[in-house]
Amino acid sequence: MPELLSQAEENYLKAIYKVSRRDGTPVSNNAISVEMQTSAASVTDMINRLSQKGLLNYQKRRGVSLTEEGYATATHLVRKHRLWETFLVDKLQFSWDEVHELAEQLEHIQSRELVNRLDEYLGFPRYDPHGDPIPDAEGLMAERQQVALSQLPVGQLAVVVGVKDHTTPFLQYLERTGLLLGVQLRVSERLDYDNSLQLVLDQGTTLLVSQKVGQNLFVQLK
Amino acid sequence: MPELLSQAEENYLKAIYKVSRRDGTPVSNNAISVEMQTSAASVTDMINRLSQKGLLNYQKRRGVSLTEEGYATATHLVRKHRLWETFLVDKLQFSWDEVHELAEQLEHIQSRELVNRLDEYLGFPRYDPHGDPIPDAEGLMAERQQVALSQLPVGQLAVVVGVKDHTTPFLQYLERTGLLLGVQLRVSERLDYDNSLQLVLDQGTTLLVSQKVGQNLFVQLK
DNA sequence: TAATAAATTTAGGCTAGTCTAAATAAAAAC
DNA sequence: GTTTTTATTTAGACTAGCCTAAATTTATTA
Ligand SMILES: [Mn+2]
Ligand SMILES: [Mn+2]
Ligand SMILES: [Mn+2]
Ligand SMILES: [Mn+2]
C-alpha cells in the first residue's frame, strides 16, 4: 500500500528509522526534533499525521516506533539514497564527500521501476560509497560484523569498511590521509596521553590518527 | 542570481516558456491556466510572485513575458528535463514513451554540477529521445528546419526528426508502426477523402497514416 | 452602441508544514 | 517527597499553493 508521501513525511520517516537503528527502543519526540532540526511542536504534528497513515505506532508521551509499512518505506528510501550515491560516484565521477546532499534530493523521486533499473545498471551493488549496505528490492541488506577502529586490539589486522561520520570534512580528511575503504591496517600502538592511534597501513606506511578519527571509522577483522 | 525556486514556481515558468516559445508576444493568464490545469485565480497569484522575483514582466490584464532571468531559468529546466529523458532511454533502457513523467520529477533536482556531469556522461547529446533539442550549459540549442509530415510535398524524400505530440499513445503508435526518429520516407500519395497519407519507408515498405499522425510528426527534407 | 461573453482580479477559505509561547506531564535532583 | 528541570502537547499564527465564488474589466457580437 504505498500511499503517496510528501518529501517532508519521507524525511521524518527516514529520521525515525535512523534514530531507532541507533538504540532499538521507541524513539523520543526529542530525538526526532534534534535529528530533523525542527521544533518539538512540528514533530508532534507530523507524528500524528504519520501514525494516522499507519506508518508509526504512537502513544502519547511514550515515543514512536515504525510499523511494518513504515519500516518498509524507510528502508526503500535508504535504498534509493544509497543507490543514487553509488551512481553519482561510480558513473558521474563525483567524490564520496560530494554526493550526500544530492542523494537527499534524488531519494524522493517516485518510481520503483527507476530504482530497480538503476540497481541493475550499477550491477546490484551491495554497499554504497561510504560502505553502508544497500537494501535490495525486498528491503534486505547485508549486515557486516564491523567494529570501530578505536576498539581494534593492538596488532590485529583489519580492513576499513565504513564511516560513522558522513560529513564532508571527515571524508576529505580520509581522502587526504589515504585511509579509504578497502585499506588494510593494524594498530601498532595506542597512545595513552590522548588515545590517539599509531597505524600501519597496507604497504607499511604509518599514520597517527586522533581518537575522534578512531571512533568514526569502521573496520572488519581479517 | 539563481534564487531558490519551488517546484511549483519552476513548473509555472516552464509552462510560460512553452506557451510563449520566445516569440515575444505576451502570454495570457488563460493560456497558462489551461497549460497548468489550475484555476485562473491561482495563476494570477503565482504570476504576482514570479514577477515580484524578477522572473516575469507583468502588467495587470496585459499578459506576461519572461524576463532575461526567467528565460534562462526556464531554458535550464528544459535542459535538465531533456538530459534526464536521454539518460533514462540511453542508459537505463526505458522506452521513449515512459520517460516524460519521470523527467518531470528529475528536472527539479538542484545542481548545476550534476547536470553538467550528466551531459558529459551522455556525450553531450544535442537531441532528446523525442527529437527535441537539448540546450547546452549556456542555454543555446540547435534549431532545426523541420516541417510537419502533413506539409511534405508528394515525392519529396525526408527523414523523421521529431514529434509534436508527446503523449504515450502516440509514441506507442509510432513504435508499433516503425515510424521512428531517423526513418527515411516519402509521401507517395495524398488521399483527398480524409487527408490521409500513403508513405513509402526506408526499405520500400508502405504505410498509410491519418492526417492526425501527419500533423504530429516532424520531418526534415533530404 | 448596447448587450453578452470571456478573461482577469479580488475576496475569502482550505491544507500542509512550519514556528513561538504557554500549559502540562514526566523525570531528575534535592 | 517536594522541587526543579526537561519533554511533550496545545494554542495560535504564519506562508505557500491551491480552490470557489463574486466582482470587474475587456472583447465579441447583435
Ligand atoms: Mn548520504
Ligand atoms: Mn552513503
Ligand atoms: Mn518530457
Ligand atoms: Mn522529450
Side-chain angles (χ1 to χ4, degrees):
Chain A
M1 331 281 116
E3 316 184 47
L4 277 85
L5 299 179
S6 68
Q7 296 199 8
E9 290 170 325
E10 290 190 339
N11 286 334
Y12 273 92
L13 271 188
K14 216 169 49 126
I16 293 163
Y17 174 91
K18 191 173 169 188
V19 172
S20 68
R21 286 289 75 69
R22 279 209 278 269
D23 21 63
T25 55
V27 174
S28 76
N29 189 313
N30 197 249
I32 299 168
S33 106
V34 167
E35 176 68 28
M36 289 292 296
Q37 313 241 78
T38 52
S39 71
S42 297
V43 173
T44 301
D45 204 60
M46 183 59 90
I47 281 173
N48 281 315
R49 252 173 290 142
L50 290 176
S51 51
Q52 190 59 40
K53 292 194 178 190
L55 298 163
L56 297 180
N57 299 121
Y58 173 50
Q59 292 166 282
K60 273 173 103 161
R61 298 188 153 89
R62 323 206 88 169
V64 300
S65 61
L66 294 164
T67 62
E68 206 57 44
E69 189 185 344
Y71 183 80
T73 305
T75 302
H76 185 61
L77 282 162
V78 169
R79 169 169 161 79
K80 289 194 281 184
H81 184 105
R82 293 177 181 171
L83 282 173
W84 279 116
E85 285 189 345
T86 304
F87 167 73
L88 293 171
V89 169
D90 285 7
K91 302 297 184 181
L92 299 194
Q93 319 299 329
F94 278 91
S95 165
W96 70 338
D97 59 277
E98 304 174 310
V99 296
H100 178 77
E101 288 311 313
L102 267 170
E104 286 293 309
Q105 294 184 61
L106 287 160
E107 72 193 7
H108 299 291
I109 300 294
Q110 307 275 7
S111 168
R112 292 273 165 173
E113 185 65 21
L114 172 55
V115 177
N116 292 337
R117 291 208 189 201
L118 191 60
D119 196 10
E120 181 182 1
Y121 184 60
L122 298 172
F124 302 106
R126 298 225 308 252
Y127 298 96
D128 84 357
H130 310 109
D132 297 309
I134 300 174
D136 68 16
E138 279 70 47
L140 303 175
M141 69 182 107
E143 276 305 331
R144 210 165 26 198
Q145 65 285 29
Q146 60 187 18
V147 63
L149 173 59
S150 53
Q151 313 288 358
L152 191 65
V154 170
Q156 170 69 56
L157 186 62
V159 58
V160 178
V161 293
V163 294
K164 185 172 186 188
D165 178 359
H166 287 69
T167 63
T168 301
F170 183 58
L171 298 180
Q172 285 181 351
Y173 168 93
L174 297 176
E175 197 76 37
R176 273 215 310 288
T177 56
L179 215 43
L180 300 171
L181 299 192
V183 167
Q184 287 197 33
L185 54 76
R186 70 180 79 229
V187 177
S188 59
E189 197 179 353
R190 185 182 306 272
L191 304 168
D192 283 343
Y193 172 60
D194 61 354
N195 288 307
S196 57
L197 302 168
Q198 183 70 45
L199 307 179
V200 181
L201 306 189
D202 278 335
Q203 286 85 15
T205 59
T206 66
L207 181 63
L208 183 68
V209 300
S210 67
Q211 181 182 34
K212 188 173 173 190
V213 169
Q215 290 168 339
N216 282 301
L217 256 195
F218 292 127
V219 298
Q220 185 169 29
L221 307 194
K222 280 237 100 173
Chain B
M1 328 281 116
E3 316 183 47
L4 276 85
L5 299 180
S6 69
Q7 296 200 9
E9 289 171 324
E10 291 191 337
N11 285 334
Y12 273 92
L13 270 188
K14 218 171 46 127
I16 293 164
Y17 172 91
K18 191 173 169 190
V19 172
S20 71
R21 248 170 225 94
R22 198 47 170 175
D23 62 5
T25 58
V27 173
S28 77
N29 189 312
N30 196 248
I32 299 167
S33 105
V34 168
E35 176 68 27
M36 290 292 295
Q37 312 242 78
T38 52
S39 71
S42 296
V43 173
T44 301
D45 205 60
M46 183 57 90
I47 281 173
N48 281 314
R49 253 174 287 144
L50 290 176
S51 49
Q52 190 59 41
K53 293 194 178 189
L55 298 164
L56 297 180
N57 300 120
Y58 172 51
Q59 291 166 284
K60 273 174 100 161
R61 298 190 154 87
R62 322 206 87 171
V64 300
S65 63
L66 293 164
T67 62
E68 207 57 44
E69 190 186 344
Y71 182 77
T73 305
T75 302
H76 185 61
L77 282 162
V78 168
R79 169 169 161 79
K80 289 194 283 184
H81 183 104
R82 293 178 181 170
L83 282 173
W84 279 116
E85 285 190 345
T86 304
F87 168 73
L88 294 171
V89 168
D90 285 8
K91 302 295 186 184
L92 299 194
Q93 320 299 332
F94 278 90
S95 164
W96 70 338
D97 60 276
E98 302 174 311
V99 295
H100 178 78
E101 289 310 314
L102 267 170
E104 287 292 310
Q105 294 183 62
L106 288 161
E107 72 192 7
H108 298 292
I109 301 295
Q110 306 275 7
S111 167
R112 292 272 166 175
E113 185 65 21
L114 171 55
V115 177
N116 292 337
R117 292 210 187 199
L118 190 61
D119 196 9
E120 181 182 1
Y121 184 60
L122 298 172
F124 302 106
R126 297 226 308 252
Y127 296 96
D128 84 358
H130 310 108
D132 297 309
I134 301 174
D136 67 17
E138 278 70 47
L140 303 175
M141 70 182 105
E143 276 307 331
R144 208 164 29 196
Q145 64 287 27
Q146 60 187 20
V147 63
L149 173 59
S150 53
Q151 312 287 357
L152 191 65
V154 170
Q156 170 67 57
L157 187 62
V159 58
V160 178
V161 294
V163 294
K164 185 172 184 185
D165 178 359
H166 287 69
T167 63
T168 301
F170 183 58
L171 299 179
Q172 286 182 349
Y173 167 92
L174 298 176
E175 197 77 36
R176 273 215 311 288
T177 56
L179 214 45
L180 300 170
L181 299 192
V183 167
Q184 288 197 32
L185 54 74
R186 70 181 78 231
V187 177
S188 61
E189 198 180 352
R190 185 181 306 273
L191 303 169
D192 284 342
Y193 172 59
D194 62 354
N195 287 308
S196 58
L197 303 167
Q198 183 70 46
L199 308 178
V200 180
L201 306 188
D202 279 336
Q203 287 85 13
T205 60
T206 66
L207 183 62
L208 182 67
V209 300
S210 68
Q211 181 184 31
K212 187 173 173 189
V213 169
Q215 290 168 338
N216 282 302
L217 255 196
F218 293 127
V219 298
Q220 186 169 29
L221 306 195
K222 282 238 98 173

